[in-house]
Amino acid sequence: MDIEQKQNEFIDHFVKRASSLKGSALASVVTEATSHPSLFAFSEILAVPDVVELGGTEHSVYLDVLRLFAYGTWSDYTSNSGRLPELGSDQALKLKQLTVLTLAETNKVLPYDQLMQELDVTNVRELEDFLINECMYAGIVRGKLDQLRRCFEVQFAAGRDLKPEQLGSMIQTLSNWLTTSDNLSVSIQDKIKWADNMSGLDKKHRKEVEERVEDVKKSLSSKADIDIRGHEEVYSEPGGVMDYEEDRSRPKRRRHPIS
């Protein structure tokens, strides 16, 4: 079962639970969802009407926590920790994993120094262990650790929830991609037509060449027949060639000695 299918199952589970609770009862759902080791998407839970209604109430802090995990990073938490509840160890790990995904969205080469600062990691060994054990083994990123250059080269990173203000940009990006795909499809079709046309011309040219070759063969064959008949006529003319038997039957001339 791949990570996306697992995500969908976990999302459905928490959405159903959140839809059946209200107020402070939603705190446990938020805590469990943000602590779950295999859940990395939260926008569907945020869209549940009972969760949305937490805004502006005494329980709005749980809505803020859910938004932090949907869109924020570890540095967002540390800079606002005074008004947010203290995170458990599983939640802290999850938020750091999500931070790596956010960094990988815009850069495919992540310097160790930047990662250590963003994740509050003090040494390279701890950072590499985190990237290997908690990110790559979890299947949320793939890449190469370059110890010589002190960077993490990202080959794949799972996507995070889109912020509402990012939707317009994403729609435009997808629209541009669709336009480019349509143009590319038209270009490919034109090249296919050109190739078919050239293939037809090539076949036509080949046929013409073959016909010319046949005509030349026929012409040479006809000329050879004419030459052969001409030779036969020359050798068959009377007096043209003396028959050997006729020559033997003629009396020999007597030779007189020269005096």
Side-chain angles (χ1 to χ4, degrees):
M1 187 181 297
D2 60 29
I3 188 171
E4 290 186 1
Q5 187 174 349
K6 288 182 180 179
Q7 287 285 298
N8 291 333
E9 291 184 0
F10 296 137
I11 290 170
D12 288 343
H13 168 73
F14 284 108
V15 165
K16 289 178 181 177
R17 284 193 59 192
S19 299
S20 63
L21 300 172
K22 290 183 178 294
S24 60
L26 286 168
S28 61
V29 176
V30 171
T31 300
E32 288 181 34
T34 54
S35 302
H36 197 286
S38 299
L39 183 63
F40 297 92
F42 305 92
S43 58
E44 286 88 347
I45 304 174
L46 275 170
V48 173
D50 291 331
V51 174
V52 175
E53 290 177 0
L54 291 175
T57 69
E58 58 182 324
H59 307 298
S60 62
V61 66
Y62 301 117
L63 180 60
D64 293 336
V65 169
L66 202 53
R67 285 173 175 165
L68 173 67
F69 278 79
Y71 314 124
T73 63
W74 179 254
S75 61
D76 292 330
Y77 169 70
T78 56
S79 60
N80 294 280
S81 59
R83 64 180 187 84
L84 292 172
E86 183 178 355
L87 299 181
S89 58
D90 290 338
Q91 288 176 306
L93 172 63
K94 171 62 60 64
L95 192 54
K96 289 184 178 183
Q97 290 173 312
L98 293 168
T99 299
V100 173
L101 295 184
T102 295
L103 295 173
E105 287 178 355
T106 54
N107 295 292
K108 297 308 177 185
V109 178
L110 303 176
Y112 279 2
D113 291 339
Q114 179 187 12
L115 287 167
M116 287 191 291
Q117 180 180 353
E118 292 290 337
L119 301 174
D120 275 345
V121 174
T122 57
N123 60 74
V124 171
R125 177 62 181 274
E126 183 182 356
L127 173 65
E128 290 182 337
D129 287 347
F130 173 77
L131 292 173
I132 294 171
N133 298 326
E134 308 300 344
C135 295
M136 287 193 277
Y137 283 174
I140 59 174
V141 294
R142 290 194 300 269
K144 175 184 176 183
L145 299 175
D146 191 331
Q147 294 179 330
L148 184 62
R149 296 170 56 204
R150 289 175 56 87
C151 66
F152 176 50
E153 297 178 2
V154 181
Q155 297 170 347
F156 160 81
R160 291 196 64 181
D161 294 303
L162 285 175
K163 296 178 182 178
E165 60 267 23
Q166 291 177 304
L167 290 177
S169 176
M170 178 59 69
I171 291 173
Q172 185 60 50
T173 298
L174 292 174
S175 178
N176 293 339
W177 176 83
L178 182 60
T179 300
T180 301
S181 298
D182 289 341
N183 293 336
L184 182 59
S185 177
V186 171
S187 177
I188 291 173
Q189 292 299 322
D190 289 342
K191 289 185 182 298
I192 291 174
K193 290 179 182 178
W194 177 84
D196 290 341
N197 184 48
M198 293 301 296
S199 177
L201 292 175
D202 180 65
K203 290 179 181 179
K204 181 180 179 182
H205 176 69
R206 188 179 304 171
K207 183 178 180 181
E208 291 175 351
V209 170
E210 290 174 351
E211 290 176 350
R212 289 179 185 176
V213 170
E214 289 299 321
D215 290 341
V216 171
K217 287 181 180 179
K218 290 178 182 179
S219 176
L220 291 175
S221 177
S222 299
K223 183 178 180 182
D225 291 342
I226 292 173
D227 290 343
I228 291 172
R229 286 198 299 271
H231 285 295
E232 289 175 348
E233 290 174 356
V234 169
Y235 285 105
S236 63
E237 288 180 358
V241 178
M242 182 179 291
D243 185 57
Y244 177 70
E245 294 298 329
E246 178 185 351
D247 181 67
R248 291 180 58 189
S249 64
R250 290 187 178 185
K252 303 296 182 179
R253 291 184 181 181
R254 183 181 297 277
R255 294 186 178 181
H256 298 283
I258 299 174
S259 54

